[in-house]
Amino acid sequence: MLAGRNRRVRNLMLLLVAAMVGLGFASVPLYRIFCEYTGFDGTTQRATLAQAPGAVVGKIISVRFDANVSSRLPWTFTPEQQTARVAIGARELAFFNATNAADHPVTGSASFNVTPSQVGKYFTKIQCFCFTNQTLEAGATMRMPVTYYVDPKILDDPDAREVSEITLSYTFYPVDSPETAG
């Protein structure tokens, strides 16, 4: 009788441990999906060109561009312009330049966010260099576009409609390759 109860407790504990491990592995993609859906913590939205709503006449907002590079990545990375005044709802295009200062090809990946964080769900990217890894040859410079719009729904949100400036920030990190990993 006691052995049967111990077996049930052991099986229940193994099931609990397996569930916790599974939840641990699922938490990162689930958190990413949550942030993309809600715009939580300044996570931007993603759309197709056809989904751009069109400009709202007379409604302008300033977008500031910020570019950063991990100290482990031998690149310089800068926006071509520091700020842009854009019509809410209009499709816009901004460019960033990256230069590889290393004597060998280097691959980087950009993370991004917008501030203030409550506008993340209204900042929508159609095309962005941040969607894929970028490889620069030794000494090469690459011009990288981002196509975006600020969703007119921002004007209906009492927590976001008074925002006059949005900062779009990128940070490039090295992508570890088999030769450099470890």
Side-chain angles (χ1 to χ4, degrees):
M1 188 78 163
L2 187 58
R5 203 173 346 180
N6 285 344
R7 194 173 311 123
R8 278 192 301 254
V9 169
R10 181 197 68 204
N11 290 342
L12 183 61
M13 289 298 122
L14 288 174
L15 181 63
L16 182 64
V17 167
M20 291 174 70
V21 168
L23 184 60
F25 279 106
S27 63
V28 171
L30 290 174
Y31 180 74
R32 185 177 302 125
I33 290 167
F34 170 77
C35 289
E36 288 172 358
Y37 180 74
T38 64
F40 180 73
D41 202 24
T43 302
T44 63
Q45 303 300 298
R46 197 167 171 177
T48 65
L49 189 58
Q51 293 171 309
V56 175
V57 177
K59 301 295 182 180
I60 303 294
I61 195 163
S62 180
V63 177
R64 190 173 79 77
F65 303 103
D66 179 50
N68 304 284
V69 180
S70 164
S71 61
R72 298 182 303 119
L73 187 66
W75 288 10
T76 58
F77 176 57
T78 57
E80 286 189 359
Q81 64 186 67
Q82 295 299 313
T83 60
R85 293 188 39 80
V86 303
I88 292 177
R91 186 180 69 225
E92 299 291 337
L93 181 63
F95 288 93
F96 290 76
N97 293 308
T99 301
N100 178 7
D103 60 0
H104 59 279
V106 178
T107 300
S109 178
S111 66
F112 55 87
N113 73 331
V114 298
T115 55
S117 60
Q118 72 266 29
V119 301
K121 60 185 166 187
Y122 304 112
F123 195 95
T124 305
K125 289 193 261 180
I126 297 167
Q127 179 210 0
C128 184
F129 56 86
C130 60
F131 295 160
T132 59
N133 291 343
Q134 303 296 321
T135 300
L136 294 177
E137 295 299 321
T141 297
M142 182 186 296
R143 189 173 191 224
M144 296 185 238
V146 57
T147 306
Y148 66 95
Y149 65 89
V150 178
D151 194 315
K153 292 177 186 168
I154 194 172
L155 300 170
D156 299 327
D157 185 336
D159 293 328
R161 70 174 156 228
E162 299 301 321
V163 171
S164 61
E165 182 177 80
I166 296 172
T167 300
L168 174 60
S169 182
Y170 290 98
T171 302
F172 258 104
Y173 295 94
V175 174
D176 292 330
S177 64
E179 299 85 44
T180 62

